[in-house]
Amino acid sequence: MTGAPTGKTLITVAPTGAEASKEAVPNLPATLDELVATAKACEAAGAALIHVHIRDADARPTLDPGLLREAVAALRAETSLVVQLSTGGSVHDRYEDRLRVLDAGPDSCSLTMGTVNFGDEVFMNPWPFIVELYQQARDRRIVPEFELFDLGHIAALHRLLGTYGLPHGGAVHCDLVMGVPGGMPGTAAALVAAVQALPDAVTSWSATGVGRTTLPVALAALSAGGHLRVGMEDTLTFAKGRPVRDNAQLVSRAARLATIAQRPPMSPGEARSLLRMKECLV
Ligand code: KMH
Ligand code: ZN
């Protein structure tokens, strides 16, 4: 974090998540058609990577292997986005179902580095599960994104890399997920503390501010040289009293902020290069 950050900004969109209900949020992408439509709009607005949770026919979160495969295939057919599947799922998903997500063959998978209180629930990520997911992802040449909800998760990342070495491709990309009730707060001070604690092996990082922390976290991340994740998984309010219209609205705002910061959005091909993925299309 010395001098002015340079280069381009990776914008990740997390369009759906596993928490919001379609009844409460009718514009949440839930069907495959809605997911693909939002992915295309977000790519046009500046996103390069999509973090995917899917829903079943009743719009409830699912890790159904067939539906996950269909989602990966449709996103690859209709967009150039880097496709990342969530292995976090919902707080109710079983470990074996979360591991089986890798069978769908995404470019990337999320990998949360520890258990965290998650509102009134607990998001469980015990060490043996982390290790199993890490090794299976590497065996399948899937690039993990390390999700860090707390400083303790960064300590666990040091331990993982120190014990098991680098992931497939050698890039170590992290996302600081901030502002979850139970995790680290979405403040500039917490972001700086987290970035300073990252292992030297980290090659890139982004930050996500949940709820009303979305803007302070995005601004802090840009000024500290980080990348951005936005989307309706994390934020349903665009501004005080104004619900989010759609994911592209959030991506457009992130792209404007990145451009003002002289770090405009990178293309999906440039994101593949950043993440050292096998199909590097730059
Ligand atoms: N839905 C949360 C319990 C991830 O995608 O890997 C977990 C989550 C993290 O969203
Ligand atoms: Zn997620």
Side-chain angles (χ1 to χ4, degrees), residues 196-221:
Q196 285 178 339
L198 291 173
D200 291 341
V202 169
T203 50
S204 56
W205 59 272
S206 60
T208 308
V210 169
R212 68 183 61 176
T213 72
T214 187
L215 275 173
V217 166
L219 292 166

Side-chain angles (χ1 to χ4, degrees), residues 17-19 51-53 84-92 98 109-112 118 122-125 145 147 149 177 229 233-234:
E19 282 71 42
H51 169 84
V52 178
H53 292 251
Q84 177 183 97
L85 290 183
S86 166
T87 64
S90 88
V91 292
H92 308 293
R98 291 171 58 189
C109 67
S110 58
L111 200 172
T112 297
F118 197 83
V122 181
F123 178 29
M124 294 292 294
N125 295 283
E145 174 180 289
E147 310 291 340
F149 288 68
V177 188
R229 172 176 130 172
E233 171 166 346
D234 307 316

Side-chain angles (χ1 to χ4, degrees), residues 4 16 38 80 86 97 106 112 147 172 203 220 236 247 255 266:
T16 306
T38 209
S80 305
S86 166
D97 295 333
T112 297
E147 310 291 340
V172 180
T203 50
L236 293 166
N247 281 287
M266 67 175 64

Side-chain angles (χ1 to χ4, degrees), residues 87-88 95 98 112-116 123-127 129-130 153:
T87 64
Y95 300 128
R98 291 171 58 189
T112 297
M113 286 307 303
T115 294
V116 61
F123 178 29
M124 294 292 294
N125 295 283
W127 179 251
F129 173 71
I130 290 171
H153 294 189

Side-chain angles (χ1 to χ4, degrees), residues 124-139:
M124 294 292 294
N125 295 283
W127 179 251
F129 173 71
I130 290 171
V131 171
E132 186 63 29
L133 181 52
Y134 185 60
Q135 292 181 320
Q136 286 200 24
R138 185 162 54 193
D139 291 347

Side-chain angles (χ1 to χ4, degrees), residues 145-233:
E145 174 180 289
F146 299 99
E147 310 291 340
L148 309 169
F149 288 68
D150 219 335
L151 284 185
H153 294 189
I154 298 176
L157 180 60
H158 279 268
R159 181 182 175 197
L160 188 77
L161 298 175
T163 310
Y164 296 98
L166 293 173
H168 169 66
V172 180
H173 179 67
C174 303
D175 183 48
L176 305 172
V177 188
M178 312 184 70
V180 169
M184 62 183 148
T187 61
L191 182 137
V192 169
V195 171
Q196 285 178 339
L198 291 173
D200 291 341
V202 169
T203 50
S204 56
W205 59 272
S206 60
T208 308
V210 169
R212 68 183 61 176
T213 72
T214 187
L215 275 173
V217 166
L219 292 166
L222 283 171
S223 67
H227 300 277
L228 303 178
R229 172 176 130 172
V230 295
M232 294 175 74
E233 171 166 346

